[in-house]
Amino acid sequence: MPSTMLYKKESEKKFTYGRSAEHNFRKHPDSGYHISKVKLWLDRTIKEGLPPLPPNMTPVKIIGDYLSRMHKDISKIPKKYPKFRDPSRYRYCMTVPTMWSEESKNIMREAAILAGIITKYDEPGKLLIIDEAVAAALYAEDQSPELNLTHGSLYMICDAGGGTVDLAVFEKDDSSGTSGLKEITMGTGSSCGSTFLDARFEALLREKVSKYPNYSEKDIQDALWEFSLVIKETFVGDQEEKSYCIKKLKRMYIQGHPDISDDETYSLDEIHKKVFDPVVDEVLGMIEKQFAQIGGRHLDVMFITGGFGQSPYLQARINDTFGSRVKHFKVIKDGNMAVMRGATLFGARPRAITQRILRRAYGIKLCSSNDMPEKNTPSVKDKFHVYIHKGEPVSEDGWITKHIAWKKDILPIVSLYAYDGDEPVPEYPSSQSIDLVAIFNTQFPIDDRKGVKYDILAMKMRFGLDKIDIKVNIRGRDFEYVTVWDVTGEKTTQYYSEPNPPPSVKVRKLWLMDAIVKYLP
């Protein structure tokens, strides 16, 4: 379904979405505010050429409206499947382009709240947000039993959609006894999907018809519709195609306009150079960068998914360029549904990814009431102690430990931050370049020991998909914190619990309970 909206000019509450919006806009171009490619507003790498937004509207509001209409279909589930009548048991999985920042992902979470899919009080795991490349990979492998992929098989996913192209390399991992995936490269993505072919063709068309005032906006929209639904999906790019695609483009262009001569229409070379090749070349460059991350290794298979992935011209160029480094190419049938169906697989079994490549660096800052910065020197509390670097692999079972000097009367405040920039990570990053993830209370019920300046606090962290687990060990006692989710919003101090307190603590708790019971009515 197209990610398009059509708002009535008289009220932002009246709108259609998807194919209905496309159809209504094509028939009546001046009937309202037509919005397409709104997700591009969440791609921080795009600075120019963004689609206009209606007055007083924001991306989160528009996406929220779109999701609210989609969510109406979910409300029909109990009627068809009475077994699933309880919405509190639902888990949602939303996919986003690989190159999106955490801020952009969180805007999608805010839009889901506006749409009524979740509430701000739901625990974050009710809505999972994963990369589109991961979702497409899960579905592609699920649909390819004939390839006999075994433990250690290496494959790339090229998910070429309408707005973005997302890529990543995975290795099949059966080490745990169940089928899993290891992410081998840091996934990359770019806004170079098939809608950019539409934009380039529109620019070429408007340039040509600018000389003909009788060429109406409806004529232009009809031509764009034909290109998007027919020409774009069948374009191969060879000379034989002149008998079909180019003739069809010419006929569409001059229809009803006898003043336009045949010589003033399109040539195959023009369609190549001005429409298809700039976009396809960018995709090929992205694939080359993925190969650079795996060194000299060859791929067992490259899966091609997404609506743009069905383009025979894109498929041919990929095959010609990388054929010597790939054993098998497979275009997934119904590839435009691969991300959605892969998200369903992930929602049912989130642990399917046994290794991830981090998109952010994480580290901690320490401070106490005794921290006093010296003149003209950075404060100790501003020093960023890196836990893990961007691009490093992490697994569900991988704990990373840092040792921190701890003394009860000093009580260091431990804060977890994330850094999105490139290496090297600055020792004293600016407050604008890092994001606060969580603050930890470290006032553990442990008394100071005579003659001991400080104890060593071992702080362990395990990094997963947008979530971080934290454990602490000090003087032989283990403490745990509630799972931290790397999402935006107000940050509150995380408090610890002690899963296995020593006998003396248990006795003290029982004594307190007995004392309380005496005063109960």
Side-chain angles (χ1 to χ4, degrees):
M1 181 181 293
S3 299
T4 54
M5 304 281 285
L6 182 64
Y7 286 89
K8 294 289 185 182
K9 288 186 176 179
E10 65 269 18
S11 173
E12 65 182 42
K13 294 182 179 179
K14 295 180 180 179
F15 61 86
T16 54
Y17 85 121
R19 297 211 178 277
S20 295
E22 292 284 323
H23 178 73
N24 292 340
F25 179 67
R26 185 186 173 203
K27 288 183 67 177
H28 308 286
D30 298 322
S31 63
Y33 298 108
H34 181 252
I35 304 168
S36 63
K37 301 178 284 189
V38 70
K39 282 166 56 177
L40 298 183
W41 279 94
L42 304 185
D43 180 356
R44 59 184 177 176
T45 65
I46 297 180
K47 307 297 183 185
E48 299 177 354
L50 289 167
L53 298 180
N56 303 316
M57 295 288 277
T58 63
V60 67
K61 171 70 168 62
I62 295 167
I63 295 170
D65 286 342
Y66 188 92
L67 293 177
S68 69
R69 289 295 173 90
M70 292 185 67
H71 192 234
K72 282 187 177 180
D73 292 332
I74 296 175
S75 64
K76 301 173 185 175
I77 290 177
K79 296 177 183 177
K80 293 184 179 180
Y81 308 98
K83 190 176 174 183
F84 304 106
R85 196 175 294 277
D86 183 6
S88 67
R89 297 175 58 199
Y90 295 174
R91 170 189 278 164
Y92 301 90
C93 189
M94 187 179 292
T95 62
V96 297
T98 298
M99 75 287 193
W100 272 17
S101 66
E102 294 303 315
E103 181 183 7
S104 296
K105 292 178 183 179
N106 288 316
I107 289 175
M108 292 297 286
R109 189 176 291 275
E110 290 173 23
I113 292 171
L114 281 178
I117 295 175
I118 59 172
T119 74
K120 64 179 180 179
Y121 304 108
D122 287 326
E123 60 97 13
K126 189 173 178 67
L127 172 63
L128 300 175
I129 297 180
I130 66 166
D131 294 344
E132 290 175 353
V134 172
L138 290 172
Y139 182 70
E141 185 181 318
D142 183 72
Q143 295 296 299
S144 307
E146 79 284 357
L147 294 175
N148 295 316
L149 297 176
T150 57
H151 180 70
S153 294
L154 194 70
Y155 64 82
M156 183 185 296
I157 188 78
C158 174
D159 180 49
T164 61
V165 176
D166 297 283
L167 301 108
V169 176
F170 298 90
E171 185 178 287
K172 191 168 174 59
D173 180 15
D174 299 337
S175 58
S176 64
T178 58
S179 180
L181 289 181
K182 290 171 69 175
E183 196 175 31
I184 300 300
T185 63
M186 187 190 300
T188 55
S190 181
S191 293
C192 56
S194 64
T195 55
F196 289 85
L197 297 178
D198 298 334
R200 285 184 164 275
F201 178 74
E202 181 176 358
L204 178 63
L205 174 64
R206 289 187 183 277
E207 178 188 341
K208 286 181 172 294
V209 303
S210 61
K211 297 180 289 185
Y212 303 99
N214 292 334
Y215 217 96
S216 68
E217 183 62 30
K218 185 179 183 303
D219 292 333
I220 291 175
Q221 293 303 322
D222 286 344
L224 295 177
W225 179 270
E226 188 76 21
F227 175 82
S228 181
L229 294 185
V230 181
I231 306 300
K232 184 173 67 173
E233 295 182 2
T234 56
F235 184 80
V236 178
D238 55 28
Q239 290 297 322
E240 294 180 8
E241 199 167 29
K242 283 187 176 181
S243 62
Y244 176 68
C245 278
I246 298 303
K247 284 184 179 180
K248 194 169 182 66
L249 278 171
K250 287 183 177 181
R251 185 170 63 251
M252 176 181 65
Y253 177 52
I254 64 177
Q255 188 173 6
H257 296 276
D259 52 330
I260 302 178
S261 68
D262 193 62
D263 294 337
E264 294 177 283
T265 57
Y266 308 95
S267 69
L268 181 64
D269 185 61
E270 193 173 35
I271 295 298
H272 263 299
K273 291 182 178 178
K274 292 190 175 181
V275 180
F276 280 87
D277 284 347
V279 178
V280 171
D281 287 346
E282 187 171 348
V283 176
L284 299 181
M286 291 170 60
I287 296 174
E288 192 65 65
K289 289 179 180 178
Q290 286 291 305
F291 272 104
Q293 289 189 56
I294 61 173
R297 296 179 69 182
H298 284 211
L299 297 176
D300 293 296
V301 61
M302 181 187 291
F303 293 115
I304 302 174
T305 63
F308 189 20
Q310 309 306 300
S311 161
Y313 183 61
L314 176 63
Q315 294 169 16
R317 290 286 306 276
I318 290 175
N319 208 323
D320 290 345
T321 307
F322 304 104
S324 62
R325 289 177 272 180
V326 182
K327 289 181 183 177
H328 303 284
F329 289 92
K330 181 173 180 179
V331 179
I332 298 299
K333 185 180 179 182
D334 296 327
N336 59 321
M337 304 290 286
V339 168
M340 184 188 73
R341 291 171 178 170
T344 304
L345 294 173
F346 183 83
R349 191 163 65 94
R351 287 179 60 89
I353 310 300
T354 60
Q355 175 180 287
R356 301 301 311 269
I357 304 297
L358 282 185
R359 270 61 167 173
R360 319 182 85 187
Y362 289 92
I364 57 174
K365 285 186 176 186
L366 309 171
C367 67
S368 73
S369 57
N370 294 346
D371 287 337
M372 296 294 292
E374 295 181 16
K375 193 175 181 179
N376 299 324
T377 61
S379 171
V380 174
K381 67 182 179 64
D382 291 326
K383 187 173 182 178
F384 188 57
H385 304 267
V386 177
Y387 247 83
I388 191 165
H389 290 268
K390 180 179 177 180
E392 285 192 44
V394 292
S395 66
E396 287 286 339
D397 300 321
W399 290 87
I400 299 169
T401 305
K402 287 279 186 187
H403 293 93
I404 304 164
W406 180 89
K407 191 169 176 64
K408 189 168 185 177
D409 62 353
I410 295 178
L411 293 178
I413 298 168
V414 180
S415 302
L416 178 66
Y417 286 86
Y419 175 77
D420 285 327
D422 295 324
E423 297 290 334
V425 179
E427 192 172 21
Y428 294 93
S430 66
S431 58
Q432 293 80 19
S433 65
I434 55 176
D435 296 325
L436 177 63
V437 177
I439 305 166
F440 302 104
N441 175 0
T442 66
Q443 195 169 358
F444 305 111
I446 295 176
D447 295 327
D448 291 336
R449 293 180 291 177
K450 289 183 179 180
V452 178
K453 280 190 172 184
Y454 55 81
D455 284 289
I456 298 298
L457 182 152
M459 195 167 199
K460 300 178 180 180
M461 294 192 191
R462 179 174 63 185
F463 296 87
L465 184 69
D466 291 337
K467 69 175 185 177
I468 303 148
D469 296 317
I470 301 98
K471 294 180 179 179
V472 166
N473 180 279
I474 183 167
R475 211 185 296 170
R477 291 173 64 175
D478 294 315
F479 299 91
E480 294 180 355
Y481 291 92
V482 175
T483 296
V484 170
W485 291 82
D486 188 0
V487 296
T488 55
E490 184 180 352
K491 308 301 179 185
T492 57
T493 301
Q494 304 292 313
Y495 291 92
Y496 58 81
S497 63
E498 189 170 15
N500 299 299
S504 60
V505 175
K506 292 180 182 177
V507 170
R508 193 180 309 142
K509 286 183 178 178
L510 290 172
W511 179 84
L512 285 171
M513 286 300 297
D514 287 341
I516 292 169
V517 168
K518 290 179 183 178
Y519 294 98
L520 292 177

